[in-house]
Amino acid sequence: MKKRFLAIGLMAVLASSTLIVSCSGDDDGFGTEVSQKSVLTVTLAGDNISTYKKIELEILETNSGAITKKTLENASAYSFELPYGSYKITANGTVITKDNEEVQVGATAQKDINTGVVNLSLPLIIKQFNKDFIIEEVFFSGSTTNDGKKYNNSRYFKLTNNTEEVLYADNLIIATSEFLSSVKREITPYHIDQAFPIGSAMYIKSESGKQYPVQPGSFIVVADNAINHTASNGFNLTNADFEFPSANPSLGQVDNPSVPNMNIIYSKMAYNMIFLYATSIESYVIARFPAGENEQTFLQNHKYTYSYPNSAGGVTTNNTYEIPNSWIIDAVNNSTDDKFLHILTTPSIDAGWSSASPNNNGKSVRRKILGTMSNGKNLYKDTNNSTADFVRNSEPSLKNGIIK
């Protein structure tokens, strides 16, 4: 996660100081003491913070190297005595938002102080560490039609650029889990600390690597079927950026020719279908091919054969593929309170889980909004813990269509 602006409010008044300097007079040749005082007022605009838990303030005079430090605890203002000069002001610490989220923040600014009163705007920034896309939302639960039938289309992934830089969606991978959070077996070998076993995977194929730019705070939608599903209480996904390919004639899905299809890397289902469980029991990851890797090398080099004792007293052996954890840029585990047995990722990728249940309830799993970026777009929480990062049973963000 990258550093971004959080709309935060802080008034820090940095008080005056006196500087004694010597100068030569043309007439008398004697040194003259001149007193210079300054008041530096630092203001951080915003309204999304409740407590300044602990803020470390440091002021460096860049010419002399003189440093003044102060730790503020549960306080939002402090006064420093500063001589005129050129300053670098730094703030680092922890704040509590109005949503009761504890976040790490920081800020820096440069300022020349050469008048009696100086006003400085110093926006705090959230310290995040990932520099790629996040899974902002997944709708997998399905909906229910007006006549009570289950409708399992209009599913989608919403992937968001949660950084302050332009990112490219080219060759981005979306994968589903081979295993389920509601079933736990004695699997051998089982090494989720190294790789993520997949049930299916698809990607955005691109030769140039810069065909699909996504601006800071913006997103792409990958839909199962990029049509208008509102007649069945689904969503209008006609403006999706990509859609699942479908070659199964029994589904009767109509391909939207104006929306590019994802490319299938692997699926264990017939017709290379990509299927999302409606019952909130699988996990999803997004990943990227590193340099030197592509669809073909992945299938050659990352096969995964595992076995487990079955209920008949024998051993079941299955074959699939696994994505190395080093390729994964984000993940979300899903389960339900009554069925949860284990997460399907290593905790360093996702230490928790979210839920949209019961199935066909028309709800999604959707990230919490932490603040705003410098361009006014939403900044989403990402601590690699879906329990804390996602809203369970959220109102889908695309219920009124895809609006960017």
Side-chain angles (χ1 to χ4, degrees):
M1 294 144 260
K2 181 178 163 68
K3 295 182 180 180
R4 283 153 296 234
F5 285 99
L6 171 66
I8 296 178
L10 167 65
M11 293 293 296
V13 179
L14 306 182
S16 60
S17 64
T18 301
L19 174 65
I20 308 299
V21 299
S22 294
C23 59
S24 296
D26 292 337
D27 296 330
D28 54 33
F30 291 100
T32 304
E33 290 189 348
V34 178
S35 177
Q36 295 181 310
K37 296 182 179 180
S38 62
V39 175
L40 174 63
T41 302
V42 178
T43 304
L44 288 98
D47 57 2
N48 194 40
I49 196 164
S50 62
T51 304
Y52 297 90
K53 186 175 180 180
K54 186 176 182 179
I55 302 291
E56 303 280 352
L57 294 176
E58 178 180 294
I59 300 179
L60 168 68
E61 206 291 306
T62 57
N63 295 308
S64 67
I67 296 175
T68 303
K69 294 182 178 181
K70 179 64 179 179
T71 299
L72 303 184
E73 296 188 22
N74 299 315
S76 62
Y78 191 79
S79 296
F80 292 86
E81 294 186 357
L82 296 174
Y84 282 15
S86 297
Y87 288 91
K88 179 181 179 181
I89 301 97
T90 304
N92 288 289
T94 305
V95 299
I96 309 298
T97 69
K98 290 182 178 179
D99 297 323
N100 203 32
E101 303 285 352
E102 181 172 309
V103 295
Q104 299 295 310
V105 295
T108 60
Q110 300 278 351
K111 194 69 177 177
D112 290 333
I113 297 178
N114 51 23
T115 59
V117 176
V118 177
N119 295 310
L120 174 67
S121 177
L122 183 64
L124 288 175
I125 53 179
I126 295 175
K127 294 183 176 180
Q128 308 251 41
F129 306 100
N130 195 323
K131 297 183 179 180
D132 217 315
F133 287 93
I134 60 167
I135 301 171
E136 180 198 326
E137 182 182 19
V138 188
F139 176 74
F140 54 79
S141 64
S143 58
T144 303
T145 64
N146 291 333
D147 56 359
K149 296 180 180 179
K150 295 180 179 180
Y151 187 73
N152 289 319
N153 285 334
S154 82
R155 292 165 168 169
Y156 61 83
F157 291 90
K158 188 178 180 185
L159 310 181
T160 297
N161 178 355
N162 207 38
T163 80
E164 294 279 358
E165 301 174 356
V166 176
L167 297 178
Y168 293 87
D170 303 55
N171 299 311
L172 199 64
I173 302 167
I174 302 175
T176 67
S177 58
E178 166 73 352
F179 304 124
L180 304 176
S181 62
S182 59
V183 178
K184 193 171 185 178
R185 298 185 173 106
E186 295 180 17
I187 296 168
T188 305
Y190 188 63
H191 45 238
I192 61 170
D193 59 326
Q194 301 174 31
F196 177 78
I198 63 170
S200 61
M202 54 186 173
Y203 78 111
I204 301 169
K205 189 173 184 178
S206 168
E207 299 298 333
S208 70
K210 291 193 174 182
Q211 187 176 352
Y212 303 109
V214 181
Q215 298 300 314
S218 191
F219 60 87
I220 60 171
V221 174
V222 181
D224 64 348
N225 193 200
I227 63 172
N228 190 343
H229 302 267
T230 54
S232 300
N233 291 331
F235 314 111
N236 185 353
L237 302 179
T238 54
N239 292 325
D241 298 278
F242 302 93
E243 67 177 348
F244 301 3
S246 177
N248 188 343
S250 65
L251 293 180
Q253 291 185 345
V254 178
D255 182 76
N256 186 337
S258 64
V259 176
N261 283 339
M262 299 286 286
N263 281 71
I264 301 298
I265 300 174
Y266 168 74
S267 175
K268 62 184 177 182
M269 300 190 69
Y271 300 100
N272 272 340
M273 288 177 55
I274 301 294
F275 178 80
L276 307 184
Y277 281 92
T279 48
S280 198
I281 54 174
E282 65 182 346
S283 301
Y284 310 110
V285 303
I286 55 176
R288 286 190 184 276
F289 293 116
E293 296 276 2
N294 54 37
E295 175 184 352
Q296 289 72 35
T297 60
F298 171 76
L299 294 174
Q300 291 169 4
N301 301 327
H302 298 284
K303 295 178 181 178
Y304 174 51
T305 299
Y306 66 92
S307 60
Y308 59 88
N310 58 41
S311 59
V315 175
T316 297
T317 299
N318 287 324
N319 299 295
T320 185
Y321 297 87
E322 58 185 4
I323 297 177
N325 287 345
S326 60
W327 297 19
I328 295 173
I329 58 177
D330 198 26
V332 56
N333 291 299
N334 296 286
S335 194
T336 61
D337 290 321
D338 60 333
K339 294 181 180 179
F340 173 75
L341 294 177
H342 62 146
I343 60 174
L344 306 177
T345 62
T346 184
S348 63
I349 292 175
D350 187 8
W353 55 277
S354 190
S355 184
S357 59
N359 56 294
N360 299 95
N361 68 353
K363 305 298 184 181
S364 70
V365 294
R366 186 176 174 187
R367 276 193 193 268
K368 296 177 181 178
I369 298 172
L370 193 57
T372 56
M373 296 183 177
S374 58
N375 62 5
K377 297 284 189 177
N378 288 335
L379 174 64
Y380 294 94
K381 186 175 182 181
D382 188 2
T383 65
N384 291 349
N385 185 335
S386 290
T387 303
D389 294 345
F390 281 81
V391 177
R392 293 186 178 194
N393 290 318
S394 173
E395 284 297 317
S397 66
L398 304 185
K399 64 181 181 179
N400 296 318
I402 300 172
I403 303 171
K404 293 189 177 182

